[in-house]
Amino acid sequence: MAIKKLDDVRLNVKPLFLTLYHEYKFEGPCRFGEGMQLEKDFDLMMAAEKFKGWYQQLKDAMPENVVNLLEPVEVQRDENFLTTDEMLDKLGEGSEEVDLYYIGYASRPYDLALEFAQRYRKPCAITQACCASAITSAEFLSRGLEFYAFEAWEDATEYMTVLRARKALREAKALCATRMTSTVSVSSPDSIIDPEKVTAKFGTRFRYVSAHELLDQTSYGDPMENHCTPGRAGLNFTPEDAAEIDRQTDELIEGAVECDMTREMVKKSVEGRYAINKFLDAYECNCFTAPCPDLCATRRLNEMQFTMCLNHSLNNEEGIPSACEYDLGALISKIMLQAIGRRPSYMGNCFTSPIRNGVRAPLPKALFFNPDTVDQKMVDLKDLDNVVLTFHSVPNRRWTGFDAPVRDYAIREFAHSGWGATIRYDFAKDAGQTITMCRIDPTVEKLFVAKGTIVDSIGYNDTNCSMGVFFQVKDSKDFFKKQAAIGNHMPLIYGDFEEQIIELGELLGLEIVQA
């Protein structure tokens, strides 16, 4: 399978260098010198030296894993200040491939840069070079042209990650498995109301597939005899697929420090994940979501004995954003986080655990958590304030990068009857680790952003959605109030990326809600 992963997206940056030289030898209010300094050849020689130094700085500033630096284009113009179509054609050749033009100057052809930008309407940038940066920035921005002025090359380096993340959102194509409706999830009605607004604002596209068709084809049966699509060739497993599923099953079990499940039961969840990836490949998609209660109610997952949990865990850590419960808001937020942090994200039910009158608010024992585990956590956390819990059984085995080493993990069942493989991870080992989280609101107008510090874990030895991480935030009361207007599931990544996520949100025209 050849899923086009978003981590492979690069920002195409084209260097654009503009030179003003003098055809005639003279002095005046904007030209001074003596002897050979007033010669045309001297102007061109100095321009060549300036280009050499500028281009080297640009190359050094553009990180290779973020930017694809295209071949530079140069245009020279004399003191007649005439901009010709030939010049503009040369500068704009291949513009359809360019995401950002980076402008450098020898002398002052600022109006040439402006006319180029007005014709091609592409984002442009400059790093401070005397008065050129302020002049160019003001002439562009005042005319509604997208432009970035950086005070230093280091600032440009950092912001390329934000621009690349915007491009990743444009390159994202989500496969959405639906049962009842393609807009409202039974368990996540706080998700995005109108997916087309996401497409209009970010460029992200959506492809829909019947969850029943997907489940039909999660099988080794005749691809022409699926119940929902009789007589049409399906994506059912081939003998080659069967061998790969066996290999992945054995590798997953052998890598675990503990596995409470039979190989047969683990394999069923690997099959579910493998089928999803076949659909992702066939539909040319690179991220995924599917409903939980909607599918649970069909009893088909009970019959086939797998949940989507393992798929979400393994695909997220391989750079394929995958969200629980048909939560498009969480999915878009995961794309943002993974594009900025270049590492897997984790999502779950998120709520504060405040202390009031010396007593901590209880966790929902009967619904998700083992009562004994909850009682012990209340002792462990003691009087620690500003605590938040995020829980879902979709943690990763890698946290600091898609190619980072696999950390210790366990495999345990989701259902008490022994099926539904889930990854279990002890977040307590990462106490003190900073995390960054964000979530887009249902109207696609606001972006909640916060960061915290891991303090403990819950659910490592338990079943169902009980796998969670406790973390401290600046002010849990403020966190609760602001999150309540945004939504439940709160995707997070390891590391402090709060500033870059805020910059991305601002770039996308979102109102930032910071807790």
Side-chain angles (χ1 to χ4, degrees), residues 362-473:
L363 302 182
K365 293 182 182 180
L367 184 60
F368 292 108
F369 299 105
N370 181 319
D372 294 335
T373 302
V374 172
D375 291 342
Q376 183 59 51
K377 285 304 162 187
M378 295 301 98
V379 173
D380 293 343
L381 295 172
K382 295 180 181 176
D383 57 351
L384 198 62
D385 211 352
N386 297 314
V387 170
V388 180
L389 171 63
T390 289
F391 68 97
H392 258 190
S393 293
V394 291
N396 308 305
R397 303 173 303 166
R398 299 177 173 90
W399 291 102
T400 58
F402 300 118
D403 296 322
V406 170
R407 301 187 184 185
D408 289 347
Y409 67 95
I411 301 173
R412 306 197 203 286
E413 69 275 14
F414 185 92
H416 290 284
S417 47
W419 57 269
T422 66
I423 299 294
R424 317 304 280 195
Y425 180 79
D426 185 4
F427 289 101
K429 292 181 178 180
D430 300 327
Q433 168 71 54
T434 298
I435 57 170
T436 303
M437 65 209 86
C438 78
R439 179 178 174 86
I440 196 161
D441 85 313
T443 66
V444 198
E445 296 292 342
K446 300 177 182 180
L447 182 67
F448 177 96
V449 185
K451 65 180 178 182
T453 305
I454 292 175
V455 294
D456 209 341
S457 182
I458 192 170
Y460 177 78
N461 294 306
D462 299 328
T463 59
N464 69 60
C465 273
S466 61
M467 183 74 254
V469 55
F470 289 99
F471 52 90
Q472 267 190 307
V473 295

